[in-house]
mmCIF file of all heavy atoms in Angstrom:
data_model
loop_
_atom_site.group_PDB
_atom_site.id
_atom_site.type_symbol
_atom_site.label_atom_id
_atom_site.label_comp_id
_atom_site.label_asym_id
_atom_site.label_seq_id
_atom_site.Cartn_x
_atom_site.Cartn_y
_atom_site.Cartn_z
ATOM 1 N N GLY A 102 -7.984 -13.079 -12.417
ATOM 2 C CA GLY A 102 -7.918 -11.817 -13.096
ATOM 3 C C GLY A 102 -9.232 -11.063 -13.034
ATOM 4 O O GLY A 102 -10.324 -11.546 -12.653
ATOM 5 N N VAL A 103 -9.206 -9.746 -13.531
ATOM 6 C CA VAL A 103 -10.429 -8.959 -13.488
ATOM 7 C C VAL A 103 -11.258 -9.395 -14.748
ATOM 8 O O VAL A 103 -10.877 -9.392 -15.816
ATOM 9 C CB VAL A 103 -10.112 -7.561 -13.670
ATOM 10 C CG1 VAL A 103 -11.421 -6.624 -13.572
ATOM 11 C CG2 VAL A 103 -9.251 -7.168 -12.461
ATOM 12 N N PRO A 104 -12.531 -9.701 -14.551
ATOM 13 C CA PRO A 104 -13.475 -9.965 -15.587
ATOM 14 C C PRO A 104 -13.402 -8.859 -16.707
ATOM 15 O O PRO A 104 -13.396 -7.632 -16.323
ATOM 16 C CB PRO A 104 -14.823 -10.205 -15.024
ATOM 17 C CG PRO A 104 -14.491 -10.650 -13.653
ATOM 18 C CD PRO A 104 -13.289 -9.909 -13.241
ATOM 19 N N TYR A 105 -13.553 -9.179 -17.980
ATOM 20 C CA TYR A 105 -13.514 -8.203 -19.068
ATOM 21 C C TYR A 105 -14.829 -7.642 -19.444
ATOM 22 O O TYR A 105 -14.825 -6.696 -20.273
ATOM 23 C CB TYR A 105 -12.817 -8.828 -20.206
ATOM 24 C CG TYR A 105 -13.342 -10.117 -20.786
ATOM 25 C CD1 TYR A 105 -14.406 -10.041 -21.635
ATOM 26 C CD2 TYR A 105 -12.931 -11.321 -20.190
ATOM 27 C CE1 TYR A 105 -14.927 -11.269 -22.025
ATOM 28 C CE2 TYR A 105 -13.435 -12.463 -20.611
ATOM 29 C CZ TYR A 105 -14.452 -12.464 -21.576
ATOM 30 O OH TYR A 105 -15.067 -13.637 -21.913
ATOM 31 N N ASN A 106 -15.963 -8.176 -19.071
ATOM 32 C CA ASN A 106 -17.169 -7.657 -19.392
ATOM 33 C C ASN A 106 -18.245 -7.974 -18.389
ATOM 34 O O ASN A 106 -17.974 -8.791 -17.443
ATOM 35 C CB ASN A 106 -17.714 -8.051 -20.847
ATOM 36 C CG ASN A 106 -17.797 -9.514 -21.007
ATOM 37 O OD1 ASN A 106 -18.107 -10.294 -20.165
ATOM 38 N ND2 ASN A 106 -17.632 -10.065 -22.307
ATOM 39 N N ILE A 107 -19.580 -7.623 -18.523
ATOM 40 C CA ILE A 107 -20.584 -7.886 -17.588
ATOM 41 C C ILE A 107 -20.898 -9.339 -17.437
ATOM 42 O O ILE A 107 -21.071 -9.790 -16.349
ATOM 43 C CB ILE A 107 -21.843 -7.014 -18.000
ATOM 44 C CG1 ILE A 107 -22.800 -7.011 -16.843
ATOM 45 C CG2 ILE A 107 -22.487 -7.531 -19.297
ATOM 46 C CD1 ILE A 107 -23.964 -6.017 -17.019
ATOM 47 N N ASP A 108 -20.893 -10.117 -18.509
ATOM 48 C CA ASP A 108 -21.134 -11.571 -18.379
ATOM 49 C C ASP A 108 -20.033 -12.270 -17.600
ATOM 50 O O ASP A 108 -20.302 -13.148 -16.863
ATOM 51 C CB ASP A 108 -21.326 -12.193 -19.792
ATOM 52 C CG ASP A 108 -22.416 -11.726 -20.557
ATOM 53 O OD1 ASP A 108 -23.562 -11.266 -19.835
ATOM 54 O OD2 ASP A 108 -22.441 -11.723 -21.777
ATOM 55 N N ALA A 109 -18.826 -11.919 -17.875
ATOM 56 C CA ALA A 109 -17.758 -12.509 -17.087
ATOM 57 C C ALA A 109 -17.817 -12.203 -15.599
ATOM 58 O O ALA A 109 -17.510 -12.988 -14.778
ATOM 59 C CB ALA A 109 -16.463 -12.166 -17.740
ATOM 60 N N TRP A 110 -18.154 -10.886 -15.375
ATOM 61 C CA TRP A 110 -18.307 -10.500 -13.990
ATOM 62 C C TRP A 110 -19.442 -11.406 -13.225
ATOM 63 O O TRP A 110 -19.302 -11.798 -12.066
ATOM 64 C CB TRP A 110 -18.767 -9.046 -13.919
ATOM 65 C CG TRP A 110 -17.498 -8.146 -13.578
ATOM 66 C CD1 TRP A 110 -16.979 -7.251 -14.485
ATOM 67 C CD2 TRP A 110 -16.720 -8.193 -12.338
ATOM 68 N NE1 TRP A 110 -15.838 -6.639 -13.824
ATOM 69 C CE2 TRP A 110 -15.718 -7.210 -12.612
ATOM 70 C CE3 TRP A 110 -16.819 -8.886 -11.237
ATOM 71 C CZ2 TRP A 110 -14.727 -6.953 -11.646
ATOM 72 C CZ3 TRP A 110 -15.886 -8.510 -10.213
ATOM 73 C CH2 TRP A 110 -14.803 -7.614 -10.421
ATOM 74 N N CYS A 111 -20.609 -11.612 -13.961
ATOM 75 C CA CYS A 111 -21.555 -12.472 -13.398
ATOM 76 C C CYS A 111 -21.111 -13.952 -13.145
ATOM 77 O O CYS A 111 -21.369 -14.415 -12.091
ATOM 78 C CB CYS A 111 -22.737 -12.501 -14.429
ATOM 79 S SG CYS A 111 -23.910 -11.067 -14.356
ATOM 80 N N THR A 112 -20.334 -14.394 -14.008
ATOM 81 C CA THR A 112 -19.803 -15.832 -13.869
ATOM 82 C C THR A 112 -18.837 -15.802 -12.696
ATOM 83 O O THR A 112 -19.014 -16.701 -11.644
ATOM 84 C CB THR A 112 -19.023 -16.136 -15.078
ATOM 85 O OG1 THR A 112 -19.859 -16.252 -16.239
ATOM 86 C CG2 THR A 112 -18.336 -17.535 -14.786
ATOM 87 N N LEU A 113 -17.961 -14.887 -12.474
ATOM 88 C CA LEU A 113 -17.087 -14.961 -11.287
ATOM 89 C C LEU A 113 -17.825 -14.725 -9.934
ATOM 90 O O LEU A 113 -17.619 -15.451 -8.949
ATOM 91 C CB LEU A 113 -16.029 -13.814 -11.430
ATOM 92 C CG LEU A 113 -14.928 -13.810 -10.376
ATOM 93 C CD1 LEU A 113 -13.577 -13.439 -10.943
ATOM 94 C CD2 LEU A 113 -15.154 -12.738 -9.320
ATOM 95 N N VAL A 114 -18.695 -13.753 -9.953
ATOM 96 C CA VAL A 114 -19.456 -13.362 -8.701
ATOM 97 C C VAL A 114 -20.413 -14.598 -8.281
ATOM 98 O O VAL A 114 -20.487 -14.911 -7.153
ATOM 99 C CB VAL A 114 -20.233 -12.071 -8.931
ATOM 100 C CG1 VAL A 114 -21.249 -11.883 -7.663
ATOM 101 C CG2 VAL A 114 -19.201 -10.924 -8.821
ATOM 102 N N ASN A 115 -21.034 -15.275 -9.332
ATOM 103 C CA ASN A 115 -21.896 -16.327 -9.019
ATOM 104 C C ASN A 115 -21.092 -17.489 -8.480
ATOM 105 O O ASN A 115 -21.603 -18.206 -7.601
ATOM 106 C CB ASN A 115 -22.600 -16.773 -10.316
ATOM 107 C CG ASN A 115 -23.698 -15.788 -10.655
ATOM 108 O OD1 ASN A 115 -24.151 -15.076 -9.914
ATOM 109 N ND2 ASN A 115 -24.126 -15.885 -11.820
#
Side-chain angles (χ1 to χ4, degrees):
V103 180
Y105 52 88
N106 61 26
I107 193 168
D108 291 335
W110 265 111
C111 283
T112 298
L113 184 141
V114 168
N115 286 342

